[in-house]
Amino acid sequence: MASTADIKNGIVLNIDGQLWSVIEFQHVKPGKGGAFVRTKLKNVTTGKTVDRTYNAGAKIEITNVDRRDYQYLYQDGADFVFMDTSDYDQITIPGPVVGDAANFMLENQNVTVALHEGSPLYVELPASVVLEITYTEPGLQGDRSTGGTKPATVETGYQIQVPLFLETGTKVKVDTRTGDYLGRVND
Protein backbone atom coordinates (compact mmCIF):
# COMPACT_ATOMS: atom_id res chain seq x y z
CA MET A 1 0.00 0.00 0.00
CA ALA A 2 1.17 3.50 -0.85
CA SER A 3 0.05 6.88 0.42
CA THR A 4 -1.20 10.01 -1.31
CA ALA A 5 2.37 11.37 -1.35
CA ASP A 6 3.17 8.76 -4.04
CA ILE A 7 0.53 10.04 -6.51
CA LYS A 8 2.00 11.13 -9.84
CA ASN A 9 0.59 11.70 -13.33
CA GLY A 10 0.30 8.45 -15.26
CA ILE A 11 0.27 5.98 -12.36
CA VAL A 12 -2.61 3.52 -12.18
CA LEU A 13 -4.64 3.07 -9.00
CA ASN A 14 -6.80 0.09 -8.08
CA ILE A 15 -10.02 1.51 -6.62
CA ASP A 16 -12.77 -0.98 -5.73
CA GLY A 17 -11.39 -3.53 -8.22
CA GLN A 18 -11.28 -1.07 -11.14
CA LEU A 19 -8.16 0.47 -12.64
CA TRP A 20 -7.95 4.29 -12.78
CA SER A 21 -5.13 6.29 -14.33
CA VAL A 22 -4.13 9.61 -12.72
CA ILE A 23 -4.50 12.41 -15.29
CA GLU A 24 -3.88 15.34 -12.93
CA PHE A 25 -3.23 15.79 -9.24
CA GLN A 26 -2.79 18.73 -6.90
CA HIS A 27 -1.61 18.79 -3.29
CA VAL A 28 -3.66 21.39 -1.40
CA LYS A 29 -2.77 22.74 2.04
CA PRO A 30 -5.47 25.17 3.12
CA GLY A 31 -4.79 27.64 5.92
CA LYS A 32 -7.40 25.97 8.06
CA GLY A 33 -7.88 22.21 8.32
CA GLY A 34 -5.85 19.28 7.03
CA ALA A 35 -4.06 18.97 3.74
CA PHE A 36 -5.59 16.93 0.92
CA VAL A 37 -4.89 15.74 -2.61
CA ARG A 38 -7.29 16.60 -5.43
CA THR A 39 -7.06 14.17 -8.39
CA LYS A 40 -8.62 13.69 -11.80
CA LEU A 41 -8.85 9.99 -12.63
CA LYS A 42 -9.64 8.21 -15.90
CA ASN A 43 -11.03 4.68 -15.91
CA VAL A 44 -8.58 2.58 -17.92
CA THR A 45 -11.21 0.30 -19.46
CA THR A 46 -14.22 2.62 -19.98
CA GLY A 47 -12.49 5.98 -20.43
CA LYS A 48 -14.81 7.65 -17.88
CA THR A 49 -13.22 10.60 -16.04
CA VAL A 50 -13.96 11.47 -12.40
CA ASP A 51 -12.61 13.89 -9.78
CA ARG A 52 -11.63 12.41 -6.46
CA THR A 53 -10.23 13.96 -3.29
CA TYR A 54 -8.06 12.14 -0.74
CA ASN A 55 -6.98 13.31 2.72
CA ALA A 56 -3.21 13.67 3.00
CA GLY A 57 -1.60 10.41 4.09
CA ALA A 58 -4.55 8.23 3.05
CA LYS A 59 -3.60 4.75 1.85
CA ILE A 60 -4.03 3.99 -1.86
CA GLU A 61 -3.32 0.90 -3.93
CA ILE A 62 -0.99 1.47 -6.88
CA THR A 63 -1.19 -1.15 -9.64
CA ASN A 64 1.74 -2.09 -11.83
CA VAL A 65 0.89 -1.52 -15.50
CA ASP A 66 3.46 -2.60 -18.06
CA ARG A 67 3.69 -0.22 -21.04
CA ARG A 68 5.49 -1.80 -23.99
CA ASP A 69 6.24 -0.78 -27.55
CA TYR A 70 4.35 -2.74 -30.18
CA GLN A 71 4.03 -2.50 -33.93
CA TYR A 72 0.53 -2.65 -35.45
CA LEU A 73 0.52 -5.42 -38.08
CA TYR A 74 -3.02 -5.90 -39.40
CA GLN A 75 -6.72 -6.14 -38.58
CA ASP A 76 -8.20 -9.63 -38.27
CA GLY A 77 -11.98 -9.26 -38.34
CA ALA A 78 -12.88 -7.20 -35.28
CA ASP A 79 -9.49 -7.86 -33.65
CA PHE A 80 -6.13 -6.17 -34.17
CA VAL A 81 -2.76 -7.96 -34.30
CA PHE A 82 0.34 -6.31 -32.81
CA MET A 83 3.98 -7.43 -32.57
CA ASP A 84 6.22 -6.73 -29.59
CA THR A 85 9.22 -4.82 -30.97
CA SER A 86 11.62 -6.32 -28.40
CA ASP A 87 10.92 -10.07 -28.67
CA TYR A 88 8.73 -10.25 -31.82
CA ASP A 89 5.86 -12.00 -30.00
CA GLN A 90 2.46 -11.31 -31.53
CA ILE A 91 -0.60 -10.34 -29.51
CA THR A 92 -4.22 -10.08 -30.64
CA ILE A 93 -6.20 -7.24 -29.05
CA PRO A 94 -10.02 -7.08 -29.34
CA GLY A 95 -11.55 -4.09 -31.14
CA PRO A 96 -13.27 -2.60 -28.05
CA VAL A 97 -9.91 -2.45 -26.21
CA VAL A 98 -8.27 -0.65 -29.16
CA GLY A 99 -11.26 1.72 -29.31
CA ASP A 100 -10.88 5.05 -31.13
CA ALA A 101 -7.17 4.43 -31.73
CA ALA A 102 -8.23 2.25 -34.70
CA ASN A 103 -9.26 5.44 -36.55
CA PHE A 104 -5.65 6.61 -36.70
CA MET A 105 -3.56 3.40 -36.96
CA LEU A 106 -1.73 2.43 -40.13
CA GLU A 107 -0.03 -0.92 -40.68
CA ASN A 108 3.56 -1.07 -39.36
CA GLN A 109 2.95 1.93 -37.06
CA ASN A 110 4.54 1.85 -33.61
CA VAL A 111 2.19 2.22 -30.63
CA THR A 112 2.35 1.70 -26.86
CA VAL A 113 0.21 -1.06 -25.36
CA ALA A 114 -0.55 -1.06 -21.63
CA LEU A 115 -0.72 -4.54 -20.11
CA HIS A 116 -1.95 -5.57 -16.67
CA GLU A 117 -1.23 -9.16 -15.65
CA GLY A 118 -0.78 -10.10 -19.32
CA SER A 119 -4.09 -8.71 -20.56
CA PRO A 120 -4.13 -5.55 -22.71
CA LEU A 121 -5.85 -2.51 -21.18
CA TYR A 122 -5.55 0.12 -23.93
CA VAL A 123 -3.54 1.22 -26.96
CA GLU A 124 -1.74 4.54 -26.76
CA LEU A 125 -0.87 6.41 -29.95
CA PRO A 126 1.51 9.33 -30.45
CA ALA A 127 -0.16 12.74 -29.96
CA SER A 128 -0.44 13.20 -33.72
CA VAL A 129 -0.12 11.10 -36.88
CA VAL A 130 0.31 11.90 -40.57
CA LEU A 131 -2.46 10.53 -42.79
CA GLU A 132 -3.26 10.96 -46.47
CA ILE A 133 -6.66 12.25 -47.60
CA THR A 134 -8.21 9.57 -49.83
CA TYR A 135 -11.40 11.46 -50.68
CA THR A 136 -12.75 14.96 -50.31
CA GLU A 137 -14.96 17.17 -52.43
CA PRO A 138 -12.94 19.44 -54.73
CA GLY A 139 -12.42 23.01 -53.53
CA LEU A 140 -14.20 25.84 -55.31
CA GLN A 141 -12.66 29.01 -56.69
CA GLY A 142 -12.43 31.58 -53.92
CA ASP A 143 -12.00 29.05 -51.08
CA ARG A 144 -9.57 30.41 -48.51
CA SER A 145 -7.75 28.86 -45.58
CA THR A 146 -9.92 30.78 -43.11
CA GLY A 147 -13.17 30.21 -45.00
CA GLY A 148 -14.46 27.11 -43.25
CA THR A 149 -14.14 23.35 -43.32
CA LYS A 150 -15.36 20.35 -45.30
CA PRO A 151 -15.38 16.60 -44.55
CA ALA A 152 -12.46 14.52 -45.78
CA THR A 153 -11.85 10.77 -45.54
CA VAL A 154 -8.30 9.74 -44.57
CA GLU A 155 -6.56 6.48 -45.50
CA THR A 156 -7.79 4.67 -42.37
CA GLY A 157 -11.42 5.33 -43.41
CA TYR A 158 -11.99 7.90 -40.66
CA GLN A 159 -13.63 11.21 -41.57
CA ILE A 160 -12.19 14.53 -40.34
CA GLN A 161 -12.93 18.19 -41.00
CA VAL A 162 -10.29 20.00 -43.11
CA PRO A 163 -10.00 23.50 -44.64
CA LEU A 164 -11.75 24.01 -47.98
CA PHE A 165 -8.54 24.33 -50.02
CA LEU A 166 -7.22 20.80 -49.32
CA GLU A 167 -7.51 18.17 -52.05
CA THR A 168 -7.45 14.38 -52.33
CA GLY A 169 -3.90 13.04 -51.99
CA THR A 170 -2.75 15.72 -49.52
CA LYS A 171 -0.99 14.50 -46.37
CA VAL A 172 -2.28 16.05 -43.15
CA LYS A 173 -1.35 15.91 -39.47
CA VAL A 174 -4.22 14.72 -37.25
CA ASP A 175 -4.53 14.93 -33.44
CA THR A 176 -5.13 11.34 -32.22
CA ARG A 177 -6.91 12.46 -29.03
CA THR A 178 -9.56 14.65 -30.67
CA GLY A 179 -9.47 13.78 -34.39
CA ASP A 180 -8.82 17.43 -35.26
CA TYR A 181 -6.89 18.60 -38.32
CA LEU A 182 -3.56 20.12 -37.20
CA GLY A 183 -1.96 21.09 -40.49
CA ARG A 184 -0.75 20.10 -43.94
CA VAL A 185 2.44 18.05 -44.24
CA ASN A 186 4.81 18.73 -47.13
CA ASP A 187 6.96 15.80 -48.29
Side-chain angles (χ1 to χ4, degrees):
M1 292 295 264
S3 74
T4 55
D6 300 318
I7 292 179
K8 296 181 189 71
N9 287 346
I11 66 166
V12 178
L13 305 176
N14 185 347
I15 302 170
D16 301 327
Q18 292 188 332
L19 299 179
W20 297 82
S21 177
V22 176
I23 300 171
E24 307 177 352
F25 72 98
Q26 179 182 20
H27 290 277
V28 180
K29 188 167 185 337
K32 187 175 184 182
F36 58 92
V37 179
R38 191 177 290 138
T39 62
K40 182 178 268 190
L41 305 171
K42 179 179 179 184
N43 190 307
V44 171
T45 51
T46 65
K48 178 181 174 186
T49 305
V50 297
D51 294 324
R52 191 142 187 189
T53 304
Y54 294 97
N55 290 331
K59 297 295 180 202
I60 55 172
E61 187 177 342
I62 295 178
T63 303
N64 186 21
V65 173
D66 186 22
R67 289 181 175 85
R68 302 179 85 179
D69 291 331
Y70 280 81
Q71 184 178 38
Y72 169 55
L73 297 178
Y74 59 91
Q75 186 171 355
D76 183 21
D79 298 336
F80 296 84
V81 179
F82 294 85
M83 177 183 67
D84 190 331
T85 56
S86 60
D87 60 10
Y88 307 111
D89 282 346
Q90 290 188 8
I91 183 173
T92 301
I93 301 178
V97 174
V98 174
D100 290 340
N103 297 329
F104 308 105
M105 287 189 319
L106 293 173
E107 291 182 358
N108 301 322
Q109 181 180 357
N110 288 334
V111 299
T112 301
V113 176
L115 302 164
H116 175 63
E117 297 175 356
S119 63
L121 298 173
Y122 59 88
V123 174
E124 205 173 87
L125 294 173
S128 65
V129 293
V130 175
L131 299 171
E132 185 176 328
I133 296 175
T134 55
Y135 176 76
T136 187
E137 295 291 330
L140 301 172
Q141 180 64 31
D143 288 344
R144 300 287 178 257
S145 61
T146 58
T149 60
K150 63 181 177 179
T153 304
V154 293
E155 56 191 308
T156 59
Y158 187 66
Q159 197 171 64
I160 63 171
Q161 293 293 319
V162 298
L164 295 169
F165 64 88
L166 290 179
E167 300 172 356
T168 300
T170 307
K171 291 193 178 207
V172 294
K173 189 181 260 191
V174 180
D175 187 327
T176 57
R177 298 164 296 212
T178 61
D180 292 341
Y181 163 83
L182 295 175
R184 186 169 40 177
V185 176
N186 298 324
D187 288 334

